[in-house]
C-alpha cells in the first residue's frame, strides 16, 4: 500500500513539473562566451552577443581563472540538463549548481548595464548608480539567473547587456571568463510584443467590419491571433500595403463567420436597429437590418422589422417583398401577418388586407400585446409619420 502511495506521489510530482515548464529554449547559438585579461586594479566592460527576440531570462556565469587554468565545463553544457529556467533552484542552491567547479585566487566586483553610455561612465568613475544590477562584494566566481519579470536588465527594448568588471588584484593581471545563455520564449520569439499587438488592434478597430459592431474586441483579437499564427512580426512588416489589406480582409471574413463573434455582431446590429426604430430613424435602421439579411443570419422578426421600416418610409413594394420572405421562415409569426395587412392597406388594397385583419383579431401578437391593440398603436404611428388612410376606421370597426 505504501509502495503504491509513493508511486502515485512521484507521478503527481512529474505531472506538476511537466505543466510548470515554460514553452521556449536555451539559445545556445547566441550564447556569449568571452575570456579577457584585466590589468591589476583596472576596470573593463564586456558586451554580450545580441539577445534574440523573445528573450525573457538569462543565466550568466563569471569565473576568474589563474593564468594556466581552463574551464572544466561550459555553462551551455550545464544547461543542457535543465529543460527551462523553472528547473533552476532559487537562491544560493541555484548559484552553487551553476557555479564553475574551478576558480583562481583573484577577486573582482562587477555590474550590469543596459547601454554603452552607462558602461563607459562606469569605466571612467567606477560608479554603479546606473547599473541594473551590481555585485559590490568581491567574488572569484558567480552565477545568476535574471528574469524579465524581476530585473530591469531585461526588457522588450533591450537587446544587449554590458558587463563591467573591476579587478581587485593590486599587483597582477587576472583572467575573467564571462558566459551568458539566453532563454527564448517561443511565442515572444515571433516578435509580437505588446506594442506590436496594439498596432494591429488599433488598425482593426477602424475597419468597416469593426465599425458595424458595438464591441469589436473579440473580432479584432481573432484577427490578431490569426496574423500572429501566420507571420512573425518582421515578416508581416515586410508585406506591401496591398498585401496587408488582403490579410486583414481574409482573416476578417474568417473571424466574421465565427459562431460566437457573429452572434454578437448580429445581436449588436439588431439592438442598434431597434433603437433607431424607436427614434423614428427608419432610413438608418434599414441598412443594419439589410446587413443581417444579406449575410444570411436573419430571423423572421428581422424581416418583420425591415418590412415595418419600409412601410414607414413609403417603400411598399420592398416592404411586401421582405415580409413575404419572412413569412416563408415562419407562417405563424403574427408580426409579419400584421405588417403585411398594413402594407396592403396603405397601398389602397383594402380587399387583400381585410381578411388578414379579420382572421387574427382574437389573437395576441406577443405574449402581452393583442392583435387589436397592436393595430391601434401602428395606426397612430402611421398618422404621425404622415401616412393617413381613409380605411383605418374601417379596419377598427371590423374588430367591433
Amino acid at each position: 500500500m505504501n509502495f503504491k502511495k509513493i508511486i502515485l506521489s512521484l507521478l503527481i510530482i512529474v505531472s506538476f513539473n511537466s505543466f510548470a515548464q515554460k514553452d521556449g529554449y536555451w539559445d545556445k547559438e547566441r550564447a556569449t562566451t568571452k575570456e579577457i585579461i584585466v590589468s591589476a586594479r583596472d576596470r573593463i566592460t564586456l558586451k554580450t552577443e545580441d539577445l534574440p527576440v523573445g528573450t525573457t531570462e538569462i543565466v550568466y556565469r563569471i569565473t576568474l581563472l589563474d593564468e594556466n587554468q581552463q574551464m572544466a565545463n561550459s555553462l551551455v553544457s550545464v544547461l543542457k540538463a535543465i529543460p527551462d529556467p523553472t528547473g533552476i533552484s532559487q537562491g544560493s542552491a541555484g548559484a552553487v549548481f551553476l557555479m564553475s567547479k574551478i576558480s583562481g585566487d583573484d577577486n573582482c566586483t562587477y555590474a550590469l548595464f543596459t547601454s554603452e553610455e552607462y558602461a563607459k561612465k562606469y569605466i571612467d568613475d567606477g560608479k554603479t548608480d546606473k547599473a541594473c544590477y551590481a555585485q559590490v562584494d568581491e567574488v572569484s566566481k558567480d552565477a545568476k539567473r535574471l528574469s524579465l519579470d524581476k530585473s530591469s536588465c531585461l526588457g522588450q527594448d533591450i537587446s544587449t547587456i554590458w558587463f563591467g568588471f573591476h579587478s581587485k588584484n593590486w599587483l597582477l593581471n587576472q583572467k575573467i571568463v564571462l558566459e551568458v545563455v539566453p532563454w527564448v520564449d517561443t511565442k515572444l520569439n515571433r516578435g509580437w510584443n505588446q506594442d506590436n499587438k496594439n498596432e494591429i488592434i488599433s488598425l482593426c478597430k477602424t475597419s468597416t467590419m469593426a465599425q458595424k459592431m458595438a464591441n469589436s474586441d473579440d473580432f479584432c483579437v481573432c484577427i490578431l491571433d490569426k496574423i500572429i499564427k501566420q507571420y512573425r512580426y518582421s515578416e508581416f512588416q515586410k508585406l506591401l500595403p496591398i498585401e496587408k489589406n488582403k490579410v486583414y480582409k481574409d482573416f476578417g471574413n474568417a473571424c466574421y463567420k465565427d459562431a460566437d463573434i457573429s452572434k454578437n455582431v448580429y445581436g449588436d446590429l439588431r439592438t442598434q436597429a431597434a433603437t433607431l426604430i424607436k427614434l423614428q430613424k427608419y432610413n438608418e435602421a434599414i441598412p443594419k437590418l439589410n446587413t443581417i439579411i444579406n449575410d444570411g443570419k436573419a430571423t423572421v422578426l428581422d424581416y418583420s422589422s425591415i418590412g415595418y421600416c419600409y412601410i414607414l418610409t413609403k417603400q411598399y413594394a420592398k416592404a411586401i417583398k421582405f415580409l413575404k420572405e419572412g413569412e416563408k421562415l415562419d407562417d405563424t409569426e403574427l408580426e409579419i401577418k400584421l405588417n403585411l395587412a398594413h402594407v396592403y392597406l396603405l397601398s389602397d388594397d383594402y380587399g387583400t388586407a381585410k381578411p388578414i385583419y379579420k382572421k387574427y383579431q382574437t389573437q395576441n401578437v406577443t405574449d402581452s400585446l393583442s392583435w387589436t391593440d397592436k393595430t391601434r398603436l401602428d395606426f397612430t404611428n402611421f398618422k404621425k409619420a404622415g401616412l393617413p388612410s381613409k380605411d383605418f376606421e374601417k379596419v377598427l370597426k371590423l374588430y367591433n
Side-chain angles (χ1 to χ4, degrees), residues 269-291:
L269 287 171
R270 289 186 182 98
T271 300
Q272 293 169 28
T275 301
L276 291 168
I277 291 171
K278 286 181 180 178
L279 296 173
Q280 299 178 16
K281 297 181 178 180
Y282 307 110
N283 280 327
E284 295 180 35
I286 288 172
K288 298 186 181 299
L289 293 167
N290 255 324
T291 297

Side-chain angles (χ1 to χ4, degrees), residues 22-46:
K22 295 187 177 183
D23 187 12
Y25 58 93
W26 296 111
D27 195 331
K28 298 183 283 290
E29 299 300 322
R30 280 175 281 191
T32 297
T33 301
K34 293 186 177 181
E35 185 176 302
I36 193 168
I37 302 296
V38 186
S39 301
R41 295 176 292 175
D42 200 2
R43 285 188 293 272
I44 196 168
T45 59
L46 285 176

Side-chain angles (χ1 to χ4, degrees), residues 268-400:
D268 289 343
L269 287 171
R270 289 186 182 98
T271 300
Q272 293 169 28
T275 301
L276 291 168
I277 291 171
K278 286 181 180 178
L279 296 173
Q280 299 178 16
K281 297 181 178 180
Y282 307 110
N283 280 327
E284 295 180 35
I286 288 172
K288 298 186 181 299
L289 293 167
N290 255 324
T291 297
I292 300 173
I293 292 170
N294 291 337
D295 288 352
K297 303 295 182 180
T299 65
V300 62
L301 292 180
D302 293 326
Y303 282 102
S304 179
S305 294
I306 198 170
Y308 184 77
C309 289
Y310 278 128
I311 290 172
L312 269 297
T313 54
K314 298 183 181 181
Q315 300 180 76
Y316 301 137
K318 288 184 179 180
I320 292 173
K321 172 192 171 184
F322 282 98
L323 292 170
K324 283 290 188 182
E325 288 180 10
E327 194 175 39
K328 293 175 185 176
L329 293 180
D330 186 355
D331 191 47
T332 65
E333 179 51 60
L334 295 193
E335 278 196 27
I336 287 279
K337 300 291 188 184
L338 185 56
N339 282 331
L340 271 172
H342 291 335
V343 73
Y344 291 138
L345 185 70
L346 292 169
S347 302
D348 293 326
D349 189 358
Y350 177 75
T352 303
K354 177 181 176 181
I356 301 175
Y357 284 121
K358 189 77 174 173
K359 182 176 181 179
Y360 301 105
Q361 64 177 318
T362 61
Q363 297 189 42
N364 278 6
V365 175
T366 68
D367 58 355
S368 58
L369 183 62
S370 70
W371 174 278
T372 56
D373 286 343
K374 183 67 166 65
T375 303
R376 291 188 176 92
L377 287 173
D378 288 345
F379 284 174
T380 300
N381 290 333
F382 295 158
K383 289 176 182 178
K384 288 180 181 178
L387 302 175
S389 171
K390 64 183 186 300
D391 295 321
F392 285 168
E393 292 302 320
K394 290 171 64 176
V395 171
L396 294 178
K397 286 179 181 178
L398 292 175
Y399 299 156
N400 296 329

